Amino acid sequence: MCGIAGIYHLETPKPVDRARVEAMCDAIAHRGPDGQGVWTAPGVALGHRRLSIIDLAGSPQPMASPDGRAMLVFNGEIYNYRELRQELRALGEEFRTDGDSEVILAAWRRWGPQCVTRLFGMFAFAIYDLDARTLFLARDRLGVKPLYYAQLSDGSLAFGSELKALTAHPLLRREIDPLAVEDYLTWGYVPDSRAILKGVCKLPAGHSLLLRHGAPLPRPAQWWDVSFAERRRGKPADLEAELLHLMRQAVSSRMISDVPLGAFLSGGVDSSSVVAFMAEASGNPVRTCSIGFDVVGLDESAYATKVARLFGTDHAARTVSPDDFSAIELLAGMFDEPFADASALPTWRVCQLARESVTVALSGDGADEALGGYRRHVFQAGEDKVRALLPQSLRGPVFGALGRAYPKADWAPRPLRAKSTLLSLAGDSAQGYARSMAFLPPELRDTLYSPDFLRLRGDYRAEDEVLALMRQAPARSGLDRAQYADLKFWLPGDILTKVDRTSMAVSLEAREPLLDHRLIEFAASLPERMRVQRGQGKWLMKRAMRRYLPDDVLYRPKQGFVTPIAQWFRGPLAQTAREIAASAPLARTGWFDQRRLQALVEAHVAGTSDNSRLLWQLLMLDRAFTGLGIL
């Protein structure tokens, strides 16, 4: 696990200033405190920061192939590198190290750009081919590891593992993209299709770029996708067995490490399942860690303790107080772009706790997206049944009118909060799901913007990309399309960004076994009833795991990491909330209706409505603008 950066001249192979790449690497030093290196040649420079995990002494980077033809910088882990090494050795390749980096180089020599299809793991890497004078950039299938890039005014392309690597380059254009602000206020993050700065791109998950001197910057080429179009047949017992085999295989392959390894344990289904298979594969107690809260209703540490005792783990737990908001400034700095998933705070704290005893930690991320585990998946399946019964010509006007008239009852029990459901049913399946994913619906966003911003935004709506993804998805049902959107949009933009930045901030490698692409492809082929059934998500997984986990772990309501931001903004952060509305960086943009923001703040502080997510979004946006230093 590391950080990478580099510069490549697209026009002519002009010399590259080594100091610039060194500065880019220094900006992401937290990703790799164990080593660093920069390599230059005419028209190209590659930089690397290393966190040593495998072959601790034998795989420094940038790494050259044995024949000197290719040079690599690599962030991630290749879990099938031992099998690939054997295959490549049989084809005549020679190896000098015991790590996975050299296997990538050998795979490139043998298969060229198609080498990515042979790599099982999480990765973002760059290979410069000295003979062809090409630069190849690639990102893993699900987008576990990030890769930013931007074309600069001198004709070069700069790339790096985080945006802060690019902002270390003096030629990077530093202008906020207002459409990214629309995206951010909709989703709570800037998705992979855009960046907060104009001209900056993120290489999409499962895509690659092949750059040549003298050729224009090409569009990324997709090399992997997941399909929900096929349906696997079989008895539930047989599908259970296959699922368990894939989960077991995914976990064991991610336990390869030359440094201490452990797991995050929340006490939920996913992390508990990972720990179960780790305990099964390990001859020693698994090291686990969890974070609890001293707020009634938010703490689930008792379940983590129960699972830890069940599998005899070496468990560490820590309680986070509501006054943990003191870390907000540090948290905002980890992401560069605005990021409003408040669970990033406890995720960072559990990463800190894990790093005290291990360098690698396995997480349970990915099962919800793959196997239909979110509450919105259950709602989507149910709402699609209603849509099938009533034509759009009837649902649109009837449910739309009811939804607009229904009050926004934040205070009411969940079954009585019907406004979002009615508005969802008024649209088609894709429109309904996009609404369920959004932090802020379009009718609320529009009240926040100034006339100037509305003119800048024009016809653009953040939901359009999700609608296109769902409508073009290789899928059969509304649930299929919803999960496809989660895997392609929500997962890399929110979940994996959160885990990557918070773990790398403390130089911890996080691995996600439930995102093994073979497991994802299997889950996508399951009949819908094997994913969502009788109001239960992850139906087949829970059924399969009953031999390992008790029912009160498997079937309790999903909770996840929850941060008490509503209480914060009515208590110790009330004044901070009031200051947000008059924030100098936000005010200088001229993009927001300051009076409207102030009214929402006061309504929240007074307890008449819950606007905590919006306030957190605005706070993180303010801190991101301040951190970028351009407003």
Side-chain angles (χ1 to χ4, degrees):
M1 189 62 61
C2 310
I4 64 174
I7 298 172
Y8 179 81
H9 278 281
L10 288 162
E11 297 170 359
T12 58
K14 297 185 292 188
V16 177
D17 185 351
R18 180 187 183 96
R20 286 186 173 176
V21 180
E22 289 175 344
M24 293 168 70
C25 290
D26 288 345
I28 53 172
H30 53 279
R31 297 185 73 94
D34 298 331
Q36 60 182 318
V38 173
W39 171 85
T40 64
V44 63
L46 303 179
H48 188 261
R49 296 289 311 210
R50 187 182 188 202
L51 177 62
S52 300
I53 303 294
I54 294 174
D55 191 22
L56 302 186
S59 296
Q61 294 184 45
M63 177 181 283
S65 60
D67 61 2
R69 170 192 157 192
M71 186 67 68
L72 167 78
V73 286
F74 160 51
N75 168 30
E77 300 290 348
I78 307 302
Y79 301 122
N80 66 329
Y81 79 96
R82 291 174 174 171
E83 296 85 350
L84 272 178
R85 182 196 299 275
Q86 292 179 354
E87 180 182 355
L88 288 161
R89 186 171 279 140
L91 293 172
E93 298 292 335
E94 297 181 358
F95 295 91
R96 301 163 297 175
T97 71
D98 295 323
D100 52 355
S101 301
E102 195 175 13
V103 171
I104 299 176
L105 280 167
W108 168 263
R109 279 170 41 90
R110 183 61 53 178
W111 299 304
Q114 292 304 309
C115 69
V116 288
T117 65
R118 313 297 292 269
L119 306 176
F120 297 175
M122 56 179 185
F123 54 82
F125 65 80
I127 294 180
Y128 183 71
D129 190 306
L130 281 84
D131 289 346
R133 299 199 306 173
T134 59
L135 180 70
F136 182 67
L137 303 175
R139 190 176 178 201
D140 64 68
R141 292 169 179 82
L142 278 304
V144 179
K145 293 292 102 186
L147 192 60
Y148 288 77
Y149 65 95
Q151 197 165 357
L152 305 178
S153 59
D154 65 350
S156 66
L157 180 133
F159 65 88
S161 294
E162 297 181 22
L163 181 58
K164 56 175 58 74
L166 302 190
T167 57
H169 196 295
L171 296 183
L172 182 74
R173 182 184 178 189
R174 299 177 185 230
E175 181 182 350
I176 298 295
D177 184 347
L179 299 188
V181 174
E182 158 77 357
D183 285 337
Y184 169 70
L185 286 178
T186 303
W187 311 118
Y189 56 92
V190 181
D192 276 8
S193 54
R194 201 177 301 280
I196 194 63
L197 296 181
K198 284 185 177 180
V200 175
C201 302
K202 302 165 190 170
L203 186 62
H207 283 66
S208 63
L209 272 177
L210 184 61
L211 310 175
R212 301 179 185 276
H213 294 302
L217 178 65
R219 293 177 62 86
Q222 181 170 284
W223 61 269
W224 182 85
D225 197 7
V226 60
S227 174
F228 285 80
E230 304 300 324
R231 287 291 187 261
R232 190 175 295 255
R233 296 182 178 180
K235 298 177 180 178
D238 295 333
L239 295 175
E240 277 184 46
E242 189 169 359
L243 176 60
L244 288 173
H245 168 73
L246 289 168
M247 292 173 65
R248 186 177 289 113
Q249 174 182 262
V251 170
S252 62
S253 69
R254 284 157 178 78
M255 294 177 67
I256 299 171
S257 174
D258 293 334
V259 294
L261 176 143
F264 303 134
L265 179 58
S266 69
V269 177
D270 306 335
S271 65
S272 299
S273 298
V274 169
V275 168
F277 289 119
M278 291 179 73
E280 183 180 79
S282 178
N284 299 310
V286 176
R287 298 179 184 180
T288 57
C289 59
S290 67
I291 289 291
F293 293 96
D294 60 1
V295 176
V296 176
L298 299 183
D299 184 53
E300 58 179 350
S301 58
Y303 292 99
T305 300
K306 180 174 184 174
V307 174
R309 289 173 178 166
L310 179 64
F311 296 106
T313 73
D314 180 3
H315 188 61
R318 185 166 295 161
T319 298
V320 176
S321 170
D323 64 6
D324 205 35
F325 58 78
S326 59
I328 286 173
E329 306 298 332
L330 291 173
L331 187 71
M334 294 173 199
F335 290 90
D336 300 324
E337 299 184 284
F339 189 81
D341 185 337
S343 66
L345 185 54
T347 302
W348 175 42
R349 290 304 191 197
V350 79
C351 288
Q352 288 180 310
L353 178 59
R355 192 62 177 90
E356 293 177 6
S357 58
V358 301
T359 312
V360 178
L362 274 60
S363 82
D365 294 308
D368 288 316
E369 291 80 5
L371 288 153
Y374 289 122
R375 183 182 288 110
R376 63 177 183 251
H377 293 149
V378 176
F379 289 165
Q380 179 75 2
E383 289 172 4
D384 277 346
K385 292 178 181 178
V386 176
R387 293 186 182 99
L389 294 173
L390 298 173
Q392 175 69 41
S393 59
L394 177 61
R395 283 188 290 105
V398 173
F399 288 127
L402 289 172
R404 288 187 292 273
Y406 202 94
K408 184 176 181 289
D410 296 324
W411 50 267
R414 186 172 297 276
L416 299 180
R417 300 182 202 174
K419 186 179 185 71
S420 60
T421 299
L422 291 169
L423 290 172
S424 177
L425 287 170
D428 65 21
S429 181
Q431 291 168 331
Y433 195 69
R435 177 174 285 275
S436 74
M437 292 174 71
F439 262 46
L440 299 180
E443 58 272 11
L444 176 55
R445 297 199 307 274
D446 287 352
T447 70
L448 303 178
Y449 297 142
S450 69
D452 285 345
F453 185 87
L454 291 172
R455 283 191 292 271
L456 277 174
R457 187 187 65 173
D459 294 333
Y460 178 76
R461 297 295 181 275
E463 289 87 354
D464 292 344
E465 184 178 358
V466 170
L467 297 180
L469 268 175
M470 293 185 68
R471 290 166 180 167
Q472 299 166 14
R476 291 189 176 193
S477 70
L479 178 62
D480 291 346
R481 292 182 176 88
Q483 290 183 244
Y484 183 83
D486 279 344
L487 287 167
K488 305 292 284 189
F489 190 87
W490 159 267
L491 182 73
D494 185 300
I495 304 301
L496 296 179
T497 296
K498 174 181 65 180
V499 176
D500 176 79
R501 302 305 191 278
T502 54
S503 61
M504 285 284 87
V506 297
S507 303
L508 175 77
E509 176 173 297
R511 297 178 178 176
E512 291 84 4
L514 301 183
L515 284 177
D516 187 293
H517 72 278
R518 293 161 294 186
L519 177 56
I520 296 294
E521 290 167 349
F522 168 78
S525 72
L526 287 172
E528 192 170 311
R529 68 182 183 279
M530 296 288 110
R531 289 174 269 146
V532 174
Q533 188 176 135
R534 301 190 188 112
Q536 279 284 337
K538 290 185 291 198
W539 185 85
L540 185 67
M541 179 182 177
K542 291 176 180 177
R543 174 176 164 135
M545 291 304 299
R546 290 189 71 173
R547 68 195 69 185
Y548 293 95
L549 299 171
D551 281 1
D552 62 344
V553 169
L554 291 171
Y555 295 105
R556 68 185 176 91
K558 182 176 176 59
Q559 186 167 330
F561 270 157
V562 181
T563 304
I565 56 174
Q567 296 96 311
W568 287 355
F569 284 127
R570 289 193 182 109
L573 288 185
Q575 184 57 36
T576 300
R578 291 187 171 100
E579 292 168 357
I580 292 171
S583 158
L586 298 187
R588 278 196 292 267
T589 66
W591 293 345
F592 299 99
D593 182 334
Q594 301 297 124
R595 292 184 186 176
R596 172 65 171 157
L597 297 186
Q598 191 64 52
L600 291 168
V601 168
E602 294 303 330
H604 180 85
V605 173
T608 57
S609 64
D610 183 356
N611 299 316
S612 56
R613 288 177 65 168
L614 171 60
L615 298 182
W616 185 259
Q617 276 185 285
L618 294 172
L619 179 60
M620 291 296 106
L621 184 63
D622 172 83
R623 297 304 191 264
F625 282 176
T626 302
L628 289 167
I630 55 178
L631 287 173

